[in-house]
Amino acid sequence: MTPKRSFFVAGSSHNLKKLQTVSIKIGNMDIRPSSTIKNLGVVFDQTMSMNAHVKSLTKSVNFHLRNMYRIRRYITTESCHHLARSLILSRLDYGNSLLLGISAKDRKQLQRLQNRAAKVVFKCNRLEPSAPLLRDLHWLPVAERIVFKVLLLVFKALHDVAPAYLSDHLVLYVPGRDNMRSSNNYLLHVPRTSRSIGDNAFCSAGPRHWNALPGHLRFAPSVNVFKKHLKTYLFPPE
């Protein structure tokens, strides 16, 4: 069986239209562009909207939710909670910093999956409000989980416990005058971007969310303290 060969190109929708009929010929083989590519478990589409990854994630999580529902009557709430964290939350959290800036439709889809998991844990019907269940389980909603991961990466990068390729993108903000109040607030420089997709890049989104944090969080003494107080800060009000 001949192995499938293709290449992947990412770009704007306008530029990708020009590549629809493009192929690369090597010997007798015509290698055509692929609409998606999977790397380290994350599915990238050509416009980097992450829609293909959300669809793949939805399929995987629904499979585990159905199996959890089938056995729910035979296990305790605590055991089901552990299952949900291992099988559902772990998948929603994996690589979720890449989901910053996804469409509202995709974000709502992922939130529905988390809501379903919470209802399975508590054996609630589908009409039960989800927010109180998430709070009882101490689960941050999907949008806040994404921001949590981005901010955790920023904190680790600033304290030299993250890869250099992340730390190199963070620059402390230096005001024009040393006596300005912001000179000792541990703020980061936010680079300008020309496109909305650039606003979601780590070098821009990370500093932007970091600068919005209250001072006591930016000056947290350790990763564990930062995580604890950040989760409390990000939890939606009752």
Side-chain angles (χ1 to χ4, degrees), residues 48 52 91 104 108:
M48 304 300 285
R91 285 171 167 79
K108 289 178 181 178

Side-chain angles (χ1 to χ4, degrees), residues 65-221:
L65 281 173
R66 286 192 295 268
N67 287 334
M68 284 175 55
Y69 181 78
R70 292 189 182 104
I71 65 170
R72 179 62 187 90
R73 69 182 72 180
Y74 306 112
I75 59 176
T76 65
T77 299
E78 183 180 2
S79 298
C80 190
H81 187 189
H82 286 307
L83 270 180
R85 292 175 62 186
S86 300
L87 299 175
I88 309 302
L89 294 191
S90 64
R91 285 171 167 79
L92 293 177
D93 288 344
Y94 180 75
N96 65 344
S97 59
L98 296 169
L99 302 180
L100 192 67
I102 60 174
S103 68
K105 179 181 177 181
D106 284 340
R107 189 169 60 250
K108 289 178 181 178
Q109 174 61 32
L110 295 181
Q111 188 58 59
R112 282 194 290 268
L113 296 174
Q114 188 188 39
N115 294 347
R116 283 186 58 196
K119 291 174 183 179
V120 171
V121 171
F122 286 116
K123 293 196 288 190
C124 297
N125 64 61
R126 63 184 181 86
L127 299 179
E128 189 79 16
S130 302
L133 304 181
L134 298 180
R135 183 169 290 277
D136 287 345
L137 292 169
H138 303 287
W139 290 358
L140 281 174
V142 168
E144 285 73 20
R145 298 181 86 87
I146 294 172
V147 174
F148 180 95
K149 180 66 70 65
V150 171
L151 287 170
L152 182 58
L153 289 173
V154 172
F155 185 89
K156 288 182 175 181
L158 290 174
H159 291 79
D160 297 323
V161 287
Y165 61 80
L166 291 180
S167 304
D168 291 345
H169 285 292
L170 302 178
V171 179
L172 288 176
Y173 173 69
V174 179
R177 290 176 294 175
D178 292 337
N179 61 350
M180 291 180 66
R181 289 183 59 190
S182 57
S183 62
N184 59 354
N185 282 348
Y186 208 23
L187 299 176
L188 295 173
H189 170 69
V190 182
R192 293 182 179 180
T193 59
S194 58
R195 296 180 181 274
S196 59
I197 192 170
D199 292 336
N200 299 323
F202 178 76
C203 61
S204 177
R208 190 169 63 251
H209 285 287
W210 176 263
N211 292 348
L213 289 176
H216 74 278
L217 275 173
R218 294 198 301 273
F219 287 95

